[in-house]
Amino acid sequence: MTAPSVPLAPETSLPRGWSLGRVVRNNLSASIGCVVLLLIVLAAAAAPLLAPTPLYQRVGGGFAAPSGAHPLGLDDGGQDIRTLLLYSTRTTLLVGFGATVIAIGIGALVGVVAGYAGGRTDGWLMRLTDFFLVVPEVPLMMIIAAVWGTGLAKLVMVIGLILWTWTARVIRSQTKSLRERVYVRRARALGAGPGHVVMRHVLPQLAPLLVVCGVLAFAVAVFDETALSFLGLGDPNRPSLGRMIALASQAGAVSNNAWWAILYPGLVVTAIILSLTMMGTALEDALNPRLRVSHLSRQHFRVLPARGSTSIRRGASTESP
Amino acid sequence: MTDHLLEVRGLEVTFGPGRNHSPFGRRREVVRAVDSVDFTLDRGETLALVGESGSGKTTTAQATLKLVEASAGTIKFNGSDLDGVHGSRLRALRKQMQLIYQDPYESLDPRYSVERIVEEPLLVHRTHSARQARQERVCQALEQVGLSPAELFLRRRPHELSGGQRQRVSIASALVLEPDLLIADEPVSMLDVSVRAGILDLLDQLRAGGLGILMITHDLSTAAHYADRVAVMYLGRVIEIGPSRQIVTDPQHPYTQALLSAVPQPERTRRARTILGGEIPNAAAIPSGCGFHPRCPIATEQCASVTPLLQPGRRSDPTHEIACLNLGG
Amino acid sequence: MTESVLEVADLRVTFRTGPRGTPVDVVRGVSFRLDQGERLGLVGESGCGKSTTILTLMGLLPPNAEVSGAIRLDGVDILQGGERSMRPHRWTDIAMVFQGAMNAFNPTRTIGSQITETMRGRGGASRKAAQARARDLLGMVGIPTDRADRYPHELSGGMRQRAALAMALANQPRVLLADEPTTALDVMIQAQIMELLERLTAELGLALVLVTHDLPLVVETCDRVAMMYAGRLVETGPAASLYAASAHPYTRMLFAATPSLDLDRRVASLPGAPPRVDQEVVGCAFAPRCDRAETVCHTQAPRMTRMADQHAAACHFADVGETHQPLRGVVH
């Protein structure tokens, strides 16, 4: 459960007229991801309206196969998989979102302070970051569950605490580089305090980066939630995608060949993570001009026929052999 | 006797462990970027600090603004010693000395309009609380730098402006606090040639209006035309200082002479160039005695051990001084 | 009459900015000739197209570029076949030194090995021969031979520029293109490098195109000068004539705007700014800033007019001499 490695170069200046929407629209995989994600989010949000059966209501035998009435089948407790999916996705998304907010919030704060202040503050904050970087969430959650019990809030908190470190690093690095931009130095030379400089000059430039971090962190948070819930460390009172898979396998879905009880929740998790990753990667590419590699292209410049010249040769559009 | 606007005596600036945050990364050795620099500047006067890379001219300017800490020497601005001045007193003083940066493409925040960029100093120093008052002041400054009519420029963003216009915006934002001293760090070196004279003329007008201008440049021709006095720096020291006309027509220090003869001159096509061999030594390994002696055509034995001080030159003219053991006095 | 080693005829370069983007005409018809041992200075400000012009001579253009015209090396047009016909000549017959070439070295390999590699790659030399020649080259550009085994970061900016020059000369090119080779260097190093270039062009019989914005530099070191503005050449001629008797107002005004060490000559500023690359041009591109512009200048683009031997200007009001013919082979 490591964070995706995002080699964002420090010099990420926005091209003119850049906007999130435009980047996503221009990139096919990101557009697909965006659409899929939106559909999932909307469905989860409208769970009470869309669910064909009330939650926790038994409507048939355990592990009943998919049929006309219940196209996705039933789980071990006879509940409609569709209903479970909708409500579970809700929980998973909520946890993921909550954890992301915490992660970005802490990460941005630590990153900006460390990057801007430098010196010993930076040193101490980085030691803190390193500490949290190596703390594994499963044992941490186990300990917290053992001492304080499980619950949604604790889950959100734990995932958020594990997740902020990578954002902090990336933001710190970008802040350090922004601090030395001429217009930032100018503001400092004017006598502006760090608050003014950060709010006015640094944060606006960090915003796109934060969005990218947020999107990618969300993907990891969803994965973490699924994993922790699968291990039984999630909230036992709420359905979640990880819990669905866990309960299904514990109740013998594999031996009963009840593939639907495991496959569908798995697909939803995959879809969410994949969509977020595709969007995040497209945004990251847009921010990082060094990833452009037109000079490695196999295409070459075109030669057009000379204007008004005497030689009548057809212009050659050449490509490398 | 009236105070000079700016008086610098014996300025030394070192970078290295335990001192200023080194832009060279973590170095174990101590780099003496500025090594005992003296000069004065009055209102209505332009002084040019001229030198090649490693001469310490930019660091001198930064030390004057207290953007880097001086390790030794005194800086007096409007009569008050800047030593030990911190916090709010420094902020108040900073209002009166402003810096113009070299790069017009990087010195303006691309996300803000011209109005917000030029009004920022007013916000930082909280001089005008009313938006209207600020806008008026901004328009005044824009007109002063030739961006007229000002209203047209208020909403523009930096990327809509040419390099010359951006530099004017930069100057406007420096003027908005009505400073006494303007430090221009290579104000035109990143601009097209056809645009440079316009900006330099503007600076000259401001000087005529009573500002004191400290111009940092590597270009002797620019310095000669637009500055009243020129100080030539080499390896952290001022080696010659005097009225610009004299520096150009009668350069006395061998380095100044070499510098002048290296400047391309269309009038003299195949001229006798004094092309100095070698290169400027690394700032961490400044030669002993006179820093110039390894390359100097008239160096003698004592030049390797004794560091020369600025003294009146050939004609014993106190306004034209050079730092050379063999030519001074 | 000896054939020019390099002849450029009506070169035009347009960039397509994306599928829906408007085409940007960067070079709008440039023609000039270069003889062996001759130094030509191509002078212009930002956006005039001078860098694109010489990049085209090397064929180093991005895929969205469209080129037309002719580039004749010893009389043979190498442009028509595009990349395929240009590639064999790149770095063997035509070589280039870039602005900031000092940063073009691979930091993980020594200078000497990179020069050797250039020779073995394109020139097909054996390792021993290449190494020996690398040392010769370094000596030729004034780098002490013990530096051959140094890494780029161990050399100063000036030294690295010399090394870049050595690398460009490795395969004995006939034409050397230099794009602002000394702009980022101190004035004394600049003088050293320029003197080196002068010496090398004389010794090796190189034809040199020096691209720069520094007019006095070019007049001092080049035989001929071509002034470029908004994608076109506005004046060409011997350096001395261009200075003593500028025919085009841009040349004249640019000289006037460049401070020299002659303090009695006042510096006069130009109004406005050079046109941006994507700006539409109607009539003479310089008309908005010209002190002699008249109505015709704003409507009709002037053609290159030959005034004296080898001296031509594209201006409706260029000082005309005896002859008044358009330059041969040029279409505007």
Side-chain angles (χ1 to χ4, degrees):
Chain A
M1 282 168 268
T2 48
S5 66
V6 181
L8 288 162
E11 292 302 328
T12 60
S13 60
L14 299 174
R16 213 175 301 163
W18 181 92
S19 79
L20 266 169
R22 192 174 308 184
V23 172
V24 171
R25 256 178 280 139
N26 282 339
N27 187 314
L28 182 63
S29 59
S31 309
I32 295 175
C34 188
V35 167
V36 168
L37 186 68
L38 268 171
L39 287 174
I40 294 178
V41 169
L42 285 172
L49 299 170
L50 292 173
T53 65
L55 190 56
Y56 297 135
Q57 185 176 75
R58 201 191 166 96
V59 291
F63 283 141
S67 61
H70 307 283
L72 298 187
L74 304 178
D75 79 335
D76 64 302
Q79 299 174 60
D80 192 328
I81 297 275
R82 286 173 301 171
T83 311
L84 280 175
L85 269 183
L86 284 167
Y87 281 97
S88 302
T89 309
R90 234 193 191 189
T91 312
T92 302
L93 284 175
L94 268 169
V95 170
F97 184 73
T100 303
V101 168
I102 292 181
I104 299 300
I106 302 180
L109 188 64
V110 171
V112 167
V113 172
Y116 194 83
R120 300 193 28 213
T121 316
D122 182 17
W124 282 111
L125 283 173
M126 281 302 102
R127 296 296 81 74
L128 184 71
T129 310
D130 287 341
F131 173 75
F132 274 96
L133 199 60
V134 299
V135 169
E137 65 248 34
V138 175
L140 179 63
M141 194 61 216
M142 281 185 186
I143 294 171
I144 292 190
V147 178
W148 288 292
T150 54
L152 213 58
K154 297 189 188 69
L155 190 61
V156 168
M157 206 181 62
V158 168
I159 298 178
L161 277 176
I162 304 299
L163 218 47
W164 68 261
T165 54
W166 161 69
T167 300
R169 283 237 161 144
V170 165
I171 295 289
R172 168 185 175 268
S173 146
Q174 176 71 332
T175 302
K176 269 195 186 298
S177 121
L178 278 172
R179 187 176 188 268
E180 300 310 317
R181 285 283 187 85
V182 185
Y183 56 84
V184 176
R185 281 193 290 145
R186 164 205 219 96
R188 284 157 53 203
L190 269 179
H196 172 105
V197 177
V198 166
M199 291 303 299
R200 195 177 162 103
H201 295 290
V202 177
L203 275 184
Q205 296 283 350
L206 285 177
L209 189 58
L210 276 174
V211 170
V212 175
C213 288
V215 169
L216 292 168
F218 201 160
V220 179
V222 165
F223 183 77
D224 284 353
E225 189 282 327
T226 308
L228 286 174
S229 299
F230 178 78
L231 291 174
L233 295 166
D235 190 338
N237 300 321
R238 287 174 194 260
S240 84
L241 294 169
R243 229 173 103 74
M244 274 180 80
I245 302 177
L247 289 176
S249 52
Q250 278 165 27
V254 176
S255 48
N256 278 317
N257 241 352
W259 52 268
W260 53 90
I262 296 185
L263 179 68
Y264 291 119
L267 278 178
V268 174
V269 171
T270 309
I272 296 174
I273 296 179
L274 211 54
S275 315
L276 287 166
T277 309
M278 288 197 290
M279 280 172 63
T281 320
L283 289 171
E284 186 217 348
D285 284 356
L287 276 183
N288 191 345
R290 293 211 195 123
L291 291 177
R292 284 183 208 137
V293 285
S294 72
H295 57 277
L296 298 178
S297 159
R298 306 193 77 227
Q299 295 262 24
H300 291 281
F301 60 91
R302 293 182 56 206
V303 179
L304 303 178
R307 287 176 27 182
S309 67
T310 51
S311 70
I312 312 167
R313 266 189 247 174
R314 277 190 322 176
S317 168
T318 56
E319 297 179 28
S320 71
Chain B
M1 189 188 83
T2 47
D3 285 321
H4 294 292
L5 175 64
L6 181 65
E7 191 176 340
V8 173
R9 297 260 167 251
L11 180 67
E12 277 181 35
V13 181
T14 27
F15 291 101
R19 284 165 167 115
N20 285 305
H21 169 69
S22 174
F24 312 108
R26 299 251 175 83
R27 288 183 86 111
R28 251 172 276 125
E29 63 268 302
V30 165
V31 175
R32 212 177 307 144
V34 179
D35 182 15
S36 187
V37 161
D38 301 321
F39 62 85
T40 59
L41 177 67
D42 293 318
R43 281 179 195 73
E45 184 186 28
T46 299
L47 170 69
L49 290 185
V50 177
E52 300 180 281
S53 44
S55 58
K57 54 192 196 298
T58 306
T59 313
T60 304
Q62 290 176 328
T64 309
L65 288 169
K66 296 214 88 172
L67 293 174
V68 297
E69 279 295 315
S71 340
T74 51
I75 304 171
K76 280 205 198 145
F77 179 66
N78 264 333
S80 25
D81 195 334
L82 289 186
D83 189 31
V85 173
H86 297 296
S88 56
R89 264 198 69 204
L90 183 59
R91 270 175 69 127
L93 274 175
R94 282 242 173 91
K95 268 197 270 183
Q96 294 164 292
M97 32 173 157
Q98 292 291 311
L99 179 59
I100 297 168
Y101 293 82
Q102 177 178 7
D103 189 343
Y105 302 96
E106 282 286 312
S107 60
L108 306 178
D109 191 328
R111 286 176 165 264
Y112 292 104
S113 65
V114 165
E115 179 183 359
R116 297 208 63 195
I117 292 173
V118 177
E119 82 171 349
E120 187 173 10
L122 299 173
L123 288 171
V124 169
H125 290 274
R126 295 190 207 120
T127 48
H128 297 62
S129 45
R131 168 97 192 266
Q132 185 62 28
R134 283 202 300 270
Q135 196 178 72
E136 274 172 29
R137 188 77 203 94
V138 166
C139 287
Q140 261 179 10
L142 288 175
E143 298 276 348
Q144 216 180 343
V145 300
L147 291 176
S148 187
E151 290 76 27
L152 222 62
F153 284 94
L154 289 177
R155 297 276 149 263
R156 296 269 184 90
R157 300 276 203 96
H159 69 260
E160 299 172 72
L161 303 177
S162 70
Q165 288 170 327
R166 284 189 226 213
Q167 199 65 317
R168 286 176 197 259
V169 169
S170 204
I171 298 174
S173 91
L175 292 177
V176 92
L177 286 171
E178 292 177 85
D180 296 319
L181 170 68
L182 213 55
I183 301 186
D185 187 359
E186 303 273 10
V188 294
S189 63
M190 294 191 70
L191 297 176
D192 283 320
V193 175
S194 62
V195 172
R196 288 181 191 182
I199 302 291
L200 291 167
D201 282 339
L202 168 62
L203 287 175
D204 200 47
Q205 278 170 37
L206 296 172
R207 175 203 59 80
L211 249 62
I213 300 188
L214 182 66
M215 190 188 305
I216 316 290
T217 178
H218 65 278
D219 184 359
L220 252 180
S221 315
T222 303
H225 270 277
Y226 291 95
D228 302 295
R229 286 186 305 132
V230 171
V232 181
M233 291 184 69
Y234 186 79
L235 284 182
R237 300 186 77 96
V238 175
I239 51 98
E240 188 162 1
I241 180 168
S244 22
R245 186 167 276 269
Q246 272 189 40
I247 298 278
V248 167
T249 51
D250 181 29
Q252 295 175 26
H253 196 285
Y255 176 66
T256 315
Q257 290 167 349
L259 204 58
L260 275 166
S261 92
V263 173
Q265 294 280 282
E267 293 94 11
R268 311 179 280 181
T269 37
R270 291 289 176 261
R271 54 188 166 76
R273 265 177 263 181
T274 323
I275 298 194
L276 272 184
E279 300 187 333
I280 301 175
N282 197 315
I286 297 179
S288 58
C290 172
F292 187 59
H293 81 260
R295 304 167 79 192
C296 183
I298 58 169
T300 54
E301 254 189 64
Q302 52 167 345
C303 298
S305 44
V306 182
T307 313
L309 300 170
L310 273 179
Q311 289 167 0
R314 214 183 348 251
R315 300 199 211 99
S316 298
D317 179 357
T319 64
H320 188 163
E321 297 178 295
I322 70 168
C324 179
L325 297 172
N326 302 312
L327 295 174
Chain C
M1 188 187 97
T2 47
E3 205 169 48
S4 309
V5 64
L6 179 69
E7 187 181 342
V8 176
D10 198 32
L11 192 66
R12 287 166 198 268
V13 182
T14 305
F15 289 99
R16 296 242 158 239
T17 55
R20 273 162 286 139
T22 44
V24 179
D25 298 319
V26 177
V27 181
R28 305 176 208 229
V30 165
S31 312
F32 61 85
R33 285 170 34 209
L34 193 62
D35 294 326
Q36 210 72 51
E38 188 175 26
R39 291 188 291 269
L40 173 71
L42 186 55
V43 181
E45 299 176 287
S46 59
C48 70
K50 57 192 195 294
S51 292
T52 306
T53 303
I54 58 168
L55 283 173
T56 311
L57 297 183
M58 287 279 279
L60 292 175
L61 293 172
N64 65 333
E66 291 172 352
V67 189
S68 75
I71 299 175
R72 296 192 192 104
L73 193 61
D74 291 322
V76 178
D77 188 355
I78 58 174
L79 179 61
Q80 276 308 309
E83 168 70 10
R84 211 175 288 138
S85 58
M86 297 217 71
R87 192 160 192 272
H89 301 282
R90 200 183 290 146
W91 298 109
T92 51
D93 294 310
I94 310 182
M96 190 158 159
V97 179
F98 300 83
Q99 184 177 12
M102 30 207 171
N103 294 321
F105 283 100
N106 184 336
T108 63
R109 305 186 56 189
T110 64
I111 299 282
S113 73
Q114 293 185 56
I115 297 182
T116 314
E117 182 188 22
T118 316
M119 285 187 276
R120 298 192 64 200
R122 295 316 306 279
S126 76
R127 170 185 282 222
K128 263 199 171 286
Q131 277 174 343
R133 181 150 163 76
R135 288 189 202 278
D136 287 342
L137 282 168
L138 288 174
M140 205 174 6
V141 299
I143 296 181
T145 40
D146 64 322
R147 304 287 179 102
D149 300 320
R150 302 286 176 139
Y151 290 91
H153 68 265
E154 296 180 283
L155 301 181
S156 67
M159 284 280 160
R160 274 179 287 177
Q161 193 69 320
R162 290 170 190 263
L165 195 49
M167 201 149 80
L169 297 174
N171 289 318
Q172 295 167 292
R174 324 254 305 293
V175 178
L176 180 65
L177 308 171
D179 188 359
E180 307 261 17
T182 58
T183 301
L185 302 172
D186 287 324
V187 67
M188 291 222 256
I189 310 286
Q190 173 176 291
Q192 291 175 0
I193 303 277
M194 289 316 303
E195 194 200 36
L196 176 64
L197 276 175
E198 282 176 34
R199 188 162 54 79
L200 287 172
T201 48
E203 279 175 24
L204 303 173
L206 280 176
L208 173 71
V209 179
L210 176 68
V211 168
T212 177
H213 63 274
D214 190 339
L215 205 43
L217 177 73
V218 140
V219 171
E220 198 182 64
T221 58
C222 294
D223 306 305
R224 278 175 45 229
V225 177
M227 302 288 301
M228 198 159 171
Y229 194 83
R232 292 204 159 104
L233 293 185
V234 295
E235 186 168 356
T236 60
S241 315
L242 236 88
Y243 177 65
S246 314
H248 195 283
Y250 178 56
T251 315
R252 180 175 39 85
M253 292 171 88
L254 204 59
F255 270 119
T258 310
S260 75
L261 292 178
D262 177 4
L263 294 183
D264 292 318
R265 191 163 71 66
R266 280 204 58 228
V267 180
S269 59
L270 271 88
R276 281 157 58 142
V277 184
D278 48 355
Q279 256 175 282
E280 268 291 335
V281 171
V282 179
C284 174
F286 188 63
R289 307 170 78 190
C290 184
D291 57 0
R292 293 228 239 127
E294 313 229 347
T295 332
V296 61
C297 302
H298 295 281
T299 52
Q300 212 186 331
R303 312 180 74 190
M304 259 313 202
T305 314
R306 169 122 57 110
M307 292 151 340
D309 187 40
Q310 302 290 337
H311 195 166
C315 176
H316 294 298
F317 302 101
D319 295 330
V320 289
E322 309 283 306
T323 50
H324 191 359
Q325 308 161 9
L327 218 52
R328 285 196 324 268
V330 161
V331 177
H332 284 281

